[in-house]
Amino acid sequence: MNTPISASNPARTSEEASLAAQYQQILRNNDRGGYTVPSARLYPFQWNWDAAINAVGWQTFDEPRAWQEVELLLSGQWDNGLVPSIVFHKPADSYFPGPKEWGGSHLSPPTTSISQPPLLATMVRKMYERSRTGEADQHIRTIVPQLMAWHRWWYRDRDPENTGLVVSYHPWETGSDNSPAWDAALAAVPAATRAYQRRDTGVVDASMRPHKAEYDRFVYLLDFFRECKFDARKIYDECPLRIVDFALNAILLRANVDLAHLCDVLGLADEAQELRGWHARGCIAIDRLWSTPLGRHVSLDTRSGQRLEQKTHAAFLAWYGQVFTGDADTQKSAILLQHLDAHVDASLFSLTSTHPSEPGWDPRRYWRGAVWPHINWLVAEGLAECGHAAQAQRLRTDCLRLIQQSGPFEYFCPNTGEGLGGPDFSWTAAIALILFETQKTQQP
Ligand code: DGY
């Protein structure tokens, strides 16, 4: 293993400065005029949760450009409040499925019809608090009402039975696209029978991407949404895949708290109360997903009623989600901490998206067992906020070490550290820049 990166080692300062310049350059190279593509050929549009993280990365060296990232993502917001997973600002032929497949090509700008984990309110709060230019107040006046409309969309369209938790209809909405956690639920989805041409396997090696059997079902689902004409109630009642993803719900619960804070700043008392109500109700509901034998929260397939008990990274977003609220939760947090240590110890590098002991684990294939920097960063943020500094530091150090050693790839092999998936990846570069800043603030 490499020597751990030490913020207090002066020999590293000039190396860090040169790496920071490289990472900034990646964001600049992936800039398409106000929005950042995740990786030039593999993902040539603006993605929702990527944009949220990229904006914080931009803010470390170009604050006006950071706010632009957020505003361009929100330019794709639907009238019903949905902030789509992809905004297709300009055409590109290296990606499938494009706007026509989604039924969103008539929109301006064209978009998909699903969302993605709602990190944005939390990232906007970070940007507001880190702002050095005095322009943040003006930006949040526009952005906060748009975020509020998005959160209302989650609770109206994705929790019509008022359970306190929201459902997802497509693995791509959860962000962990082909996680083993979705295998059983996805197997119940019919395979698309129409012809289609994947592009991803022409850009990166097929061994890193989801199998055809999964794509057949991904495509079936997006065809289904289009055929339902995006009717929220019809999709809720009839979609063959309907899951409560613990990770997405934890991210949303946390985002409610941060958005409520921004509403306080703007004097929007009713909205702040509505958001805090969702957080409080959601924490009670999410507690029902705690599995005592597994010592963690699990996800739920609301079609089959089955709990999805695979050991993935998702459970470790509990601290980030601020879901441990009462005295009785102290013990749950302590148990989860032990599982985290064991999960991290199971690989050479950092927290993997799936524990190596899980059937279906694969260290190279997309979300089936590799290390994802943004997940490590989010988990570390939650740990640090809850006072678990040593565990947070371990994830941050491992994550930076991987990026510095192998380059800013999309994700990494947990055994060898090899960079996998898309190269010159925007949010990986952004996270390295953010972690450099975190190190600076922690220097004695
Ligand atoms: C992809 O195409 O792999 C994306 O993750 C979908 O959002």
Side-chain angles (χ1 to χ4, degrees):
M1 293 257 264
N2 286 358
T3 319
I5 294 151
S6 157
S8 54
N9 178 351
R12 303 214 57 103
T13 314
S14 68
E15 190 189 330
E16 268 184 24
S18 122
L19 284 168
Q22 281 176 38
Y23 301 145
Q24 291 174 6
Q25 194 55 46
I26 285 173
L27 290 179
R28 288 202 182 94
N29 292 346
N30 288 341
D31 183 4
R32 296 291 177 273
Y35 70 94
T36 315
V37 298
S39 186
R41 292 199 58 234
L42 189 58
Y43 305 118
F45 309 105
Q46 189 182 30
W47 261 258
N48 183 325
W49 66 333
D50 294 69
I53 293 173
N54 291 338
V56 182
W58 275 106
Q59 198 190 22
T60 63
F61 64 103
D62 184 344
E63 181 161 343
R65 178 60 187 77
W67 290 109
Q68 211 182 5
E69 187 76 30
V70 176
E71 282 158 3
L72 276 187
L73 176 69
L74 290 170
S75 74
Q77 184 166 35
W78 287 21
D79 291 345
N80 67 2
L82 162 71
V83 180
S85 60
I86 308 174
V87 185
F88 301 103
H89 293 285
K90 289 176 206 159
D93 58 13
S94 63
Y95 183 80
F96 167 88
K100 217 169 106 222
E101 312 279 337
W102 285 99
S105 47
H106 61 288
L107 300 167
S108 178
T111 72
T112 60
S113 69
I114 56 169
S115 199
Q116 254 189 337
L119 291 176
L120 193 60
T122 302
M123 298 304 139
V124 168
R125 178 177 176 181
K126 273 189 199 301
M127 289 164 65
Y128 178 76
E129 288 172 353
R130 296 154 68 112
S131 175
R132 295 181 204 97
T133 61
E135 59 185 303
D137 280 303
Q138 173 205 328
H139 287 294
I140 64 164
R141 266 195 288 278
T142 317
I143 291 169
V144 165
Q146 293 173 291
L147 289 172
M148 191 68 209
W150 186 24
H151 285 220
R152 285 191 176 128
W153 170 84
W154 278 111
Y155 286 104
R156 188 192 59 236
D157 282 15
R158 298 311 190 85
D159 183 21
E161 296 186 72
N162 276 312
T163 66
L165 300 175
V166 300
V167 295
S168 291
Y169 306 123
H170 199 297
W172 287 348
E173 190 164 84
T174 70
S176 46
D177 298 18
N178 63 332
S179 166
W182 316 139
D183 285 355
L186 200 60
V189 174
T193 48
R194 70 174 176 92
Y196 63 88
Q197 173 76 50
R198 281 174 72 169
R199 304 280 174 192
D200 55 327
T201 45
V203 181
V204 298
D205 195 89
S207 68
M208 298 184 214
R209 296 294 300 174
H211 289 290
K212 178 179 183 315
E214 287 150 346
Y215 254 77
D216 285 349
R217 287 161 177 85
F218 297 157
V219 171
Y220 176 92
L221 288 168
L222 68 91
D223 287 348
F224 171 80
F225 307 141
R226 203 185 52 237
E227 280 154 19
C228 288
K229 301 191 171 24
F230 316 117
D231 178 329
R233 187 69 217 196
K234 189 172 165 60
I235 296 174
Y236 184 80
D237 289 339
E238 296 175 19
C239 185
L241 185 125
R242 202 178 67 186
I243 45 186
V244 170
D245 172 17
F246 174 78
L248 189 147
N249 276 276
I251 289 170
L252 179 59
L253 289 177
R254 165 59 185 269
N256 287 332
V257 175
D258 292 314
L259 190 51
H261 177 86
L262 292 171
C263 286
D264 290 342
V265 171
L266 295 176
L268 302 172
D270 291 348
E271 286 82 351
Q273 198 185 2
E274 193 175 350
L275 288 155
R276 292 198 172 98
W278 287 329
H279 182 260
R281 201 173 50 127
C283 286
I284 295 168
I286 218 163
D287 191 51
R288 290 196 282 275
L289 295 180
W290 179 264
S291 158
T292 303
L294 292 177
R296 67 186 64 210
H297 296 91
V298 296
S299 294
L300 183 67
D301 178 344
T302 68
R303 276 278 168 255
S304 67
Q306 292 296 308
R307 288 177 156 229
L308 306 174
E309 300 194 326
Q310 284 75 9
K311 291 186 193 158
T312 69
H313 65 278
F316 305 118
L317 286 164
W319 297 289
Y320 173 90
Q322 303 186 354
V323 307
F324 295 129
T325 50
D327 287 347
D329 290 337
T330 311
Q331 209 195 343
K332 287 182 182 156
S333 170
I335 293 169
L336 189 64
L337 218 44
Q338 286 173 11
H339 288 299
L340 174 70
D341 288 341
H343 193 128
V344 176
D345 285 344
S347 311
L348 265 184
F349 295 96
S350 208
L351 173 66
T352 56
S353 66
T354 306
H355 191 283
S357 66
E358 278 295 333
W361 175 77
D362 184 330
R364 297 173 60 82
R365 195 180 294 280
Y366 214 35
W367 280 92
R368 297 192 76 86
V371 175
W372 288 80
H374 67 303
I375 295 296
N376 277 265
W377 176 57
L378 295 175
V379 172
E381 289 287 289
L383 285 164
E385 287 159 2
C386 293
H388 307 302
Q391 282 88 351
Q393 189 54 34
R394 183 178 182 189
L395 294 188
R396 286 170 173 158
T397 305
D398 269 13
C399 192
L400 256 183
R401 182 191 294 150
L402 274 174
I403 300 170
Q404 290 181 321
Q405 176 183 295
S406 305
F409 276 83
E410 183 177 13
Y411 61 95
F412 300 88
C413 174
N415 299 334
T416 62
E418 181 192 357
L420 300 169
D424 293 339
F425 214 85
S426 296
W427 71 11
T428 308
I431 286 162
L433 291 169
I434 297 164
L435 287 175
F436 283 150
E437 286 222 333
T438 309
Q439 282 184 337
K440 262 193 264 162
T441 58
Q442 287 174 345
Q443 259 177 332

